Amino acid sequence: MDAAKAMEREAATEAETKARAEGKDGKAVKAEAKKAAWEAKKAALIAKRKGKKATRVMVEDDLPRDQGFVRPTVLILVPMRNVAGRVVRRLLQLCPAAQGRVDAVNKLDRFADDFGDGDSDDDSPENGSSENGSKRKRTGGQWIPEDHERLFRGNTDDHFRLGIKVTKASVRLYVDFFGSDVLVCSPLGLVTKLQESGKSAGDFLASLELIVVDHADVLMMQNWQHVLTLFSQCNRLPSGQHGVDIMRVHEPHLNGLAKNLRQTIVLSSFPCAE
């Protein structure tokens, strides 16, 4: 406001000086000064309105970059279906969207058939245990380590993949990879998926922000090369757009630097060179 008033006074002074130089009387001089001040005020208001409009348009065009190339952002690698079942059930326990309504989580019956219903998750001894609790005895007199019993209890199939979509009010299982938020897979199942697809085989791995490698010691004993193959396919530039708004994609993703921002968690019973 002070700047606008200063402009008005300056315009009025200039007009008054010009009118006096032209030999006009005092009444005409005041009229010219008033007219110049009004025109200066009008110009300042117009400039202010244009400035607000330009600022508003700039904010609308400056869209937030809050997306990746594709929807999946979390990949959890586990060795067998029984481990995957425990992981998914724990995720459902911690997820607010999976609580409340009966139909908050779909296809639970199919999930129980494929990954187990959770009855085998109980760690209580079934056939007795040794005094130090480190071993468990099976019928027939054979002693088996307790961690072996826990690992191989339930479905031990190592070829599977599961997409999970999380919304505000529900959790959807068995969703297509491009529509999923969390992928729970075995390395073998995911490598098979990459081999079955065409040119855009690994596009659903382009925007991963978190990779969890659970039971890495077991994966090492299966085939560690599958894990290395998957890591080589993660956070690469996709071959297709897949319906994403490029203007909202994170800058590091566009520059091919997403792998430098990704968090990788490896869980193992013991360290190894691999």
Side-chain angles (χ1 to χ4, degrees):
M1 293 300 293
D2 294 339
K5 289 183 178 180
M7 291 176 62
E8 293 177 23
R9 288 195 297 266
E10 184 179 354
T13 302
E14 292 178 357
E16 185 176 352
T17 303
K18 184 178 179 181
R20 291 184 185 278
E22 293 176 354
K24 295 183 179 180
D25 57 4
K27 190 174 182 180
V29 171
K30 291 182 179 180
E32 290 291 337
K34 187 175 181 180
K35 180 180 179 182
W38 167 249
E39 289 178 353
K41 183 177 181 180
K42 183 178 179 181
L45 290 174
I46 293 175
K48 185 177 180 180
R49 289 172 184 170
K50 287 184 177 180
K52 286 185 176 180
K53 185 176 180 181
T55 303
R56 183 165 55 251
V57 172
M58 183 187 65
V59 172
E60 291 176 355
D61 292 341
D62 189 16
L63 296 175
R65 293 190 176 273
D66 56 354
Q67 297 179 358
F69 290 111
V70 289
R71 180 160 184 162
T73 56
V74 178
L75 171 62
I76 303 177
L77 295 176
V78 291
M80 293 175 290
R81 287 182 180 266
N82 55 357
V83 181
R86 291 196 290 267
V87 169
V88 174
R89 282 189 289 272
R90 179 57 58 89
L91 288 176
L92 294 178
Q93 292 175 359
L94 299 176
C95 182
Q99 312 300 327
R101 299 196 338 241
V102 178
D103 59 344
V105 184
N106 72 331
K107 300 182 180 179
L108 280 177
D109 294 338
R110 177 183 173 185
F111 177 78
D113 293 338
D114 292 343
F115 296 92
D117 55 7
D119 292 340
S120 62
D121 294 346
D122 186 11
D123 290 335
S124 60
E126 296 177 358
N127 300 309
S129 60
S130 62
E131 295 180 358
N132 57 10
S134 60
K135 295 183 179 180
R136 179 171 296 169
K137 187 175 181 179
R138 182 186 296 176
T139 303
Q142 183 179 5
W143 290 95
I144 299 177
E146 188 174 340
D147 58 346
H148 183 280
E149 281 280 346
R150 188 183 303 108
L151 179 62
F152 291 97
R153 187 186 306 143
N155 193 337
T156 57
D157 179 32
D158 64 346
H159 188 278
F160 61 91
R161 44 185 180 261
L162 175 66
I164 304 174
K165 179 179 180 180
V166 181
T167 64
K168 292 182 179 180
S170 64
V171 177
R172 295 290 175 256
L173 305 178
Y174 296 96
V175 180
D176 179 74
F177 277 3
F178 285 99
S180 303
D181 296 294
V182 181
L183 307 178
V184 181
C185 314
S186 67
L188 176 61
L190 209 51
V191 168
T192 305
K193 172 70 174 177
L194 296 178
Q195 294 174 347
E196 293 174 353
S197 304
K199 183 179 179 181
S200 60
D203 284 2
F204 60 88
L205 302 174
S207 299
L208 294 178
E209 299 178 5
L210 172 64
I211 298 180
V212 179
V213 183
D214 194 11
H215 286 73
D217 51 324
V218 181
L219 295 176
M220 184 189 65
M221 289 183 257
Q222 290 179 334
N223 191 339
W224 189 252
Q225 187 60 41
H226 290 334
V227 179
L228 299 180
T229 301
L230 293 179
F231 271 87
S232 67
Q233 295 292 323
C234 293
N235 298 111
R236 301 175 62 179
L237 293 176
S239 58
Q241 189 170 346
H242 302 288
V244 68
D245 184 0
I246 295 297
M247 299 301 296
R248 297 188 63 177
V249 176
H250 298 294
E251 285 285 353
H253 289 67
L254 295 174
N255 297 330
L257 302 175
K259 63 181 180 181
N260 298 328
L261 303 177
R262 184 190 70 218
Q263 183 177 7
T264 303
I265 301 175
V266 181
L267 305 176
S268 175
S269 299
F270 54 84
C272 60
E274 289 79 5

